[in-house]
Amino acid sequence: MKPKKILPYVVAIVLFIVASLLYFHPVLKGQKLSQSDITQFTGMAKEIVDYRAENDSEPYWTGASFSGMPAYQISAYYPYDFVRSLDKLLRFLPRPADYTFLYFLSFFVLMLALKVKWRLAILGALSFGFSTYLIIIFIPGHNSKAHAIAYMPLVLAGVLLVFRRKFVLGFIVTGLAMALEIFANHIQMTYYLGFCLLILGIVELIHAIKEDKLSTFIKQAAVIIAAVILGIGANAPRLMAMKEYSDFSTRGKSELTINADGSKKVEKQGLDKNYITQYSYAKLETFNLFIPRYMGGGTVEELGDDSNFYQLIEKTAGKKVANDYSKSVLTYWGDQPIIEAPAYIGAVIFFLFFLGIFLVKGKLKQWLIAATVFSILLSWGRNFEILTNIFIDYVPLYNKFRAVSSIQIIAELCVPILGVLALKQFFSKEVSNKEKKKALENAFFTFAGLIVFGYLLAQSFSTFEGLRDSNYNELPGLIDAVIADRKSMLLIDSIRSIIFVILTAGILRFTLKDKLKKQYAIIALVVFMLVDLLSVDKRYVNESDFKSSRKIEKPFIATNADKQILKDTSHYRVANFTVDPMQDGSTSYFHQSIGGYHAAKMGRYKELFDYQIAKNNMRVLNMLNTKYFIVANQNNQPQAQLNQDAYGNAWFVNNVVLVDSADQEISALDTLNTKTTAVIDRSKLAESNSFTFEKDSTANIFLESYDVTKLTYNSKTQKEQFAVFSEIYYKDGWNAYVDGELTPHYRVNYVLRGMIIPSGEHQIVFKFEPKVIQKGSLVSLISYGLLIAITIGWLFYDDRKKKKTTFNVQ
């Protein structure tokens, strides 16, 4: 390719780099975005990161959170992970500019796959990348979600290339893009991408049948499926490890049939329906997609001194109080628990989407409209129960994910695609001016009318009352002031959207009359689109959200309680009751915590907490070797308390009680003296065993060394004994060795390890040796090999075929 032809693409990449860095310009000063989830992750992952740095290897386990759990879903590097290297190469900018750059680049490639000229491809890429939802997900730290979204357009590009019969290129792009998509590790977003691809496939199939090209479709589908499978296979270690762990996590099926209060548990497949639909878009809230503060914006918004809220506070309590309180007013009046910002796609690009409805023809339009409508309907969740319940009850895996509103990501993707295709048609000489004019008028009146309709609908039938309005009951008239401001925001942003529609339609009208050249029209549209999106984005994500890198990399400061506990260099656990232990990553930053912060913690451990620890069962806390408690003192400051009754790292019990079910096992802990007795569910034993022992008062066992994945104990007994180890049982990885010989161990007391210790002096070693990593690595290597071999073989075959055809012609 000649340098002149390459130049536009170089310009595009440079523009994407500059745009990403300009928006997140504090990264140029070494600052980092403050993200709540990432802060918690830093605490959870510290032991793993430290181990990796010290040993140059992966632990795949951490003892710092939830008394111990696999590290697969926290932080794990896998052998032969070439996808990680490719991803690292693409994400060379500082975070979160790296993800934004990926948004732009991936969508740009998709546009090129659709034969869109580079200028329009840039417009589409910027529109997609600066969509408000894609920016605001950085605030809570949903990096893996952003990561997965960024590769969605690239996957679509590969699939569309195959449907355009660019088989080899499509196979390569689809395979690599799917490998990157899975690597991003946000299965929910990838699952939603699957719906988008399925709808595309159905549309292609219908047209193939109509055009009598079913055999071609089958070939295309086979190529796509093969590429997707190999892309998935390249991630085999992480996927296989995730699948193995998921059965034991809170995502898996519980063995219990009783609740913590003793009542009968209703058996459910997947997550609770109310939990799944907790974040559901209201039907009216859909107008947020093109009227940014239709429902008041984010949960809280800053209101100026011209607002009703400010003026009432100033009149009552003075200017200083008004300034403080008006910085975070509860303006959102929808029914979602909390939202960072509206999922605003943009008035400009949405108008172009409507232009595409009237101007673009063919199966691409059918796919994009169908997928957009599909995603919006499902995003309504509990507000459209008939459809939502069908998907929860009958569509595989749909009940495994919460926050159904996030399926709108399909619309986030499809709207700018059709918008750009509309411009491609509008600037095409193959379409008559009459047809363009008619489409432009239809789009203008339909979309502008929809905005006006949305405004009138809210004004006529809504109360504008929010879920948290009771917070403003103390001052008479304050709720009325907030409602007045909500109505004002609706009016202002409705007018704002109408103005952008008029400006966009005006530019296209001038172009149609040859009063404005195409290249200048595109520049003007880019400017309008950027002003439209960035003015909204900056309300929610700006330089004030950045902090010094030191504060982000080391977000937790040891309290006096932490410092006091850290003087103890033995191996023990800490229970921090100044926070919610099951939603806390900070304690894991300094200590081995009984709590942690993770959406997929071990299921049995969560049950142990709910059924026993939450009821303050000290014997359970003692068996977890909870040597220290952190509680609030009289000044509400953290204070360390020594628990002298903690059992230590291992101990011998006098009795082992066998029960017949998980229900009996968890209930036995209500009254069990866990210092002297252990309980085992006999249904989990591979062999029949009576576990009868004579008491040896001289027996002792102690932990010699702790190394995350290797725990070494020494024992000395005169008779065979049964030992309980204060470590979490996980059968798919932990192996026990007595004097180097593999020895069976058992799950006891619902979550711990126990084993028979022979008489005499012995060394007992527990090693974490997950076989799934080796198996997955082999599958990964095979997938890489096939991806390369098929590509080379296909290229060789096509080359020979071309030469043969040329020879025959001659």
Side-chain angles (χ1 to χ4, degrees), residues 505-522:
I507 288 294
L508 295 178
R509 184 72 171 138
F510 279 130
T511 308
L512 199 59
K513 291 184 174 182
D514 292 328
K515 293 182 178 180
L516 189 66
K517 290 185 177 179
K518 182 177 76 172
Q519 57 266 36
Y520 297 130
I522 293 173

Side-chain angles (χ1 to χ4, degrees), residues 78-115:
Y78 298 96
Y80 315 117
D81 202 354
F82 304 121
V83 180
R84 180 180 293 276
S85 301
L86 177 57
D87 176 72
K88 191 175 180 180
L89 182 68
L90 293 172
R91 290 196 303 114
F92 57 90
L93 294 177
R95 189 173 297 175
D98 57 345
Y99 293 125
T100 313
F101 172 75
L102 268 189
Y103 290 156
F104 298 148
L105 181 64
S106 184
F107 198 90
F108 183 75
V109 173
L110 171 59
M111 292 293 96
L112 296 182
L114 289 170
K115 295 184 178 180

